[in-house]
Amino acid sequence: MGKQRITVCLPPAGPDGLKQAIGQAITSTLDDEQHASRHASRKINEWLRKGFSEVERPFDVAELDQQTPVLDVIKSSTQPHAPVPEYLPIDGFDETYHRSHAPDHPMGFHEYFVLRDQGRSAVRFTVRGQCHDPAAVSSFLAVLGAGRDLPFDGQSHHKVPLSTPVGPFSHALFCAPALGQACIAYPAIAARVATAFPIFDCEIGDADPEVLVDARIRGHGALPYSDWSRQPQPVVDLRFDVQPSNYRRTQTFKVFTSADLKALLDVLPTAASQSWLEVRSFRGKTRRFTPETATPFSEVTSFLHG
């Protein structure tokens, strides 16, 4: 057999005054399983001789609640003296629940959960109160009802064309729990709640890897995906060397905003002759500009919208 790794967890304190950090552990690489077993037994006996007692390993919160329904975890996590959130079922949609968060307030929103696996996991999305359209939401709930298993298939995300538009949107983006981070505030269910929301075709690249999707939904100039009345915010992937400008040279494509692109295009005609700018669209097509071939921002925007 090959080398075996063993982790020994040290206790926090003992009756003889020894102190160790809670959760501290030592990991050793040993020759085989028998050697690892002997080593573990020796370490355990050492601690027993010092006056420690064996106890059951405490459960991690996330492990403890693996079988607890998602909505129950949220309700049980409510701060003392705060009202327990009430999620109401939506007629006509299986295992689908809704809650309003001060919908008439400028920062208010509607929250939806489409449950699966007997409520132990879910797909979540939100809509700002000021742009909440019941008809568009119903259309999107129908999409999620049919695709609720999609973000749990092992892939980080799926960009899915809609057979019928949801409001002005043509596609849906499904994000796995690790990417969407829908319930990061609730560690016990963070790995069990995925995210979905409608998008314009040009907002997520057709072949985007996880790192780029993460940048588009959470990075600089991130999509305001709870705003269902937004205008399209197309993919703006740039690499360039434009001098003088307020931007450092970048040799690899990175996610920027339309405002960054406009600023670079504005200074490109008067930049040094060796300056250049490359723009990549959501379809992976690239256009290159130099001081001699600089193009108005409106024309480049049309290219980005596809």
Side-chain angles (χ1 to χ4, degrees):
M1 296 178 66
K3 297 285 186 180
Q4 300 292 312
R5 294 179 66 83
I6 180 171
T7 299
V8 178
C9 295
L10 302 179
D16 57 357
L18 292 175
K19 295 182 178 179
Q20 300 288 348
I22 295 175
Q24 182 178 347
I26 297 174
T27 301
S28 301
T29 301
L30 303 167
D31 294 332
D32 53 40
E33 187 174 352
Q34 290 182 344
H35 187 188
S37 179
R38 292 196 302 271
H39 179 78
S41 296
R42 186 168 61 252
K43 287 294 183 182
I44 291 171
N45 288 332
E46 287 179 7
W47 286 108
L48 291 175
R49 285 196 298 271
K50 292 175 181 179
F52 291 95
S53 300
E54 290 189 75
V55 296
E56 291 293 330
R57 180 180 67 87
F59 284 100
D60 180 83
V61 173
E63 294 178 358
L64 188 63
D65 287 332
Q66 279 298 317
Q67 301 303 315
T68 305
V70 164
L71 297 183
D72 287 351
V73 173
I74 295 176
K75 293 175 183 177
S76 65
S77 301
T78 304
Q79 294 295 324
H81 310 299
V84 176
E86 183 179 14
Y87 291 90
L88 301 177
I90 300 178
D91 291 339
F93 294 97
D94 182 45
E95 292 190 284
T96 302
Y97 292 81
H98 163 254
R99 179 192 176 199
S100 297
H101 298 253
D104 297 326
H105 189 275
M107 299 300 292
F109 62 96
H110 296 263
E111 181 182 30
Y112 293 86
F113 282 89
V114 178
L115 305 180
R116 60 188 293 278
D117 189 25
Q118 297 181 329
R120 290 189 289 265
S121 58
V123 183
R124 174 184 180 268
F125 71 91
T126 60
V127 188
R128 284 182 51 209
Q130 294 182 335
C131 58
H132 184 267
D133 179 352
V137 168
S138 293
S139 296
F140 195 58
L141 286 174
V143 173
L144 294 195
R148 71 184 76 195
D149 294 330
L150 199 55
F152 296 92
D153 68 352
Q155 297 190 50
S156 66
H157 64 281
H158 294 272
K159 176 185 175 183
V160 179
L162 299 172
S163 57
T164 302
V166 172
F169 302 104
S170 60
H171 288 66
L173 182 68
F174 291 82
C175 297
L179 176 61
Q181 299 184 16
C183 284
I184 194 172
Y186 303 95
I189 58 171
R192 296 192 273 138
V193 181
T195 304
F197 49 89
I199 60 171
F200 294 96
D201 190 14
C202 63
E203 292 180 329
I204 298 293
D206 293 341
D208 269 354
E210 179 178 356
V211 64
L212 285 184
V213 175
D214 181 71
R216 302 198 200 291
I217 65 176
R218 261 191 302 279
H220 178 52
L223 289 177
Y225 48 80
S226 292
D227 182 358
W228 286 25
S229 62
R230 71 175 186 268
Q231 295 298 308
Q233 297 190 19
V235 166
V236 181
D237 290 344
L238 307 177
R239 62 182 178 188
F240 50 82
D241 183 9
V242 178
Q243 301 301 330
S245 76
N246 294 325
Y247 295 85
R248 292 183 178 181
R249 174 184 183 183
T250 174
Q251 290 280 41
T252 58
F253 278 113
K254 295 182 180 180
V255 176
F256 286 84
T257 68
S258 294
D260 296 318
L261 173 59
K262 185 177 187 305
L264 286 164
L265 287 172
D266 286 346
V267 301
L268 186 59
T270 58
S273 59
Q274 67 271 25
S275 295
W276 56 273
L277 166 67
E278 289 188 355
V279 184
R280 185 173 64 185
S281 75
F282 72 100
R283 297 195 186 283
K285 297 181 179 179
T286 302
R287 292 187 63 179
R288 183 181 178 92
F289 304 99
T290 65
E292 292 75 25
T293 62
T295 302
F297 174 68
S298 58
E299 293 185 21
V300 181
T301 298
S302 178
F303 162 72
L304 292 176
H305 281 260

